[in-house]
């Protein structure tokens, strides 16, 4: 992220409006998803346009998180936020154990397979219904399931991720 947002960690993104009174659905990257709601103040935006929002109320609807943000009063305002990133400052997140990491920590890391072959670098993550996919781009693009069986070693100091993956998938 840029423009003063590099110290932000993305915890999800804004989904569809929920109702007509400004509620929105949130897609959470946290585990469990409700952990996102522990942060009452969020930074929401895209590109260089970011704004602070406070969660006034929250709930669930059919498995989706729903929130009412201060200042968002109708469906049109909620729709304008659709697709925006939901972030919090890194300083507000708990310290991770040495083996733990945030997805944002992996962006830009080199990815190599067990044979030492460089596959490229981590570009971003995609939430699929089945699992989280790590998008790695080098001479080709790979969508690697970001599951413990595939992520063999993460070295944040060396900015390197070792994966159990070959070019055939």
């Amino acid at each position: 992220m840029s423009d003063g947002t590099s110290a932000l960690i993305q915890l999800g993104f804004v989904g569809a409006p929920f109702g007509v009174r400004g509620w929105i659905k949130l897609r959470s990257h946290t585990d469990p998803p409700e952990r996102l709601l522990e942060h009452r103040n969020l930074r929401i935006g895209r590109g260089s346009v970011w704004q602070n929002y406070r969660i006034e109320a929250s709930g669930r609807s059919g498995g989706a998180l729903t929130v009412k943000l201060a200042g968002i009063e109708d469906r049109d305002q909620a729709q304008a936020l659709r697709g925006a990133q939901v972030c919090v400052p890194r300083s507000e997140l708990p310290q991770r154990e040495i083996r733990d990491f945030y997805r944002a920590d992996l962006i830009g890391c080199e990815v190599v397979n067990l044979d030492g072959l460089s596959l490229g670098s981590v570009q971003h993550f995609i939430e699929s219904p089945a699992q989280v996919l790590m998008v790695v781009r080098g001479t080709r693009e790979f969508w690697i399931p970001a599951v413990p069986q595939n992520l063999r070693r993460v070295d944040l100091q060396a900015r390197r991720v070792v994966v159990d993956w070959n070019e055939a998938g």
Side-chain angles (χ1 to χ4, degrees):
M1 291 182 209
S2 59
D3 301 318
T5 60
S6 60
L8 296 176
I9 299 294
Q10 183 180 2
L11 298 183
F13 64 92
V14 177
F18 181 69
V20 296
R21 295 197 169 117
W23 283 69
I24 58 173
K25 291 183 181 180
L26 289 183
R27 294 283 313 239
S28 176
H29 295 324
T30 63
D31 184 24
E34 295 80 11
R35 185 163 287 153
L36 187 147
L37 300 176
E38 294 173 4
H39 304 278
R40 302 312 283 179
N41 296 302
L42 305 173
R43 295 269 294 158
I44 297 179
R46 55 176 72 86
S48 62
V49 180
W50 290 83
Q51 193 164 347
N52 293 317
Y53 290 96
R54 183 177 44 79
I55 296 176
E56 290 183 335
S58 62
R60 288 190 74 78
S61 176
L65 296 176
T66 57
V67 297
K68 172 69 175 83
L69 299 174
I72 304 299
E73 303 302 327
D74 62 37
R75 187 175 184 83
D76 291 337
Q77 289 176 310
Q79 179 64 32
L81 293 176
R82 189 174 191 165
Q85 296 177 44
V86 176
C87 300
V88 297
R90 181 182 285 277
S91 61
E92 292 183 14
L93 297 173
Q95 286 287 37
R96 303 301 302 238
E97 295 296 320
I98 192 105
R99 295 182 336 205
D100 291 339
F101 52 87
Y102 292 107
R103 290 181 198 165
D105 294 334
L106 301 185
I107 305 297
C109 285
E110 178 189 21
V111 178
V112 299
N113 68 13
L114 293 175
D115 295 327
L117 177 68
S118 178
L119 301 175
S121 63
V122 178
Q123 301 299 303
H124 58 93
F125 291 84
I126 295 174
E127 290 275 339
S128 77
Q131 61 201 348
V132 175
L133 299 168
M134 182 172 63
V135 178
V136 176
R137 192 173 301 132
T139 56
R140 293 181 40 206
E141 183 173 277
F142 300 97
W143 290 18
I144 300 172
V147 295
Q149 302 91 302
N150 287 347
L151 302 179
R152 293 301 180 93
R153 191 173 329 113
V154 174
D155 185 341
L156 293 177
Q157 285 188 327
R159 307 283 301 142
R160 188 175 194 167
V161 179
V162 178
V163 295
D164 188 357
W165 187 261
N166 61 46
E167 287 196 56

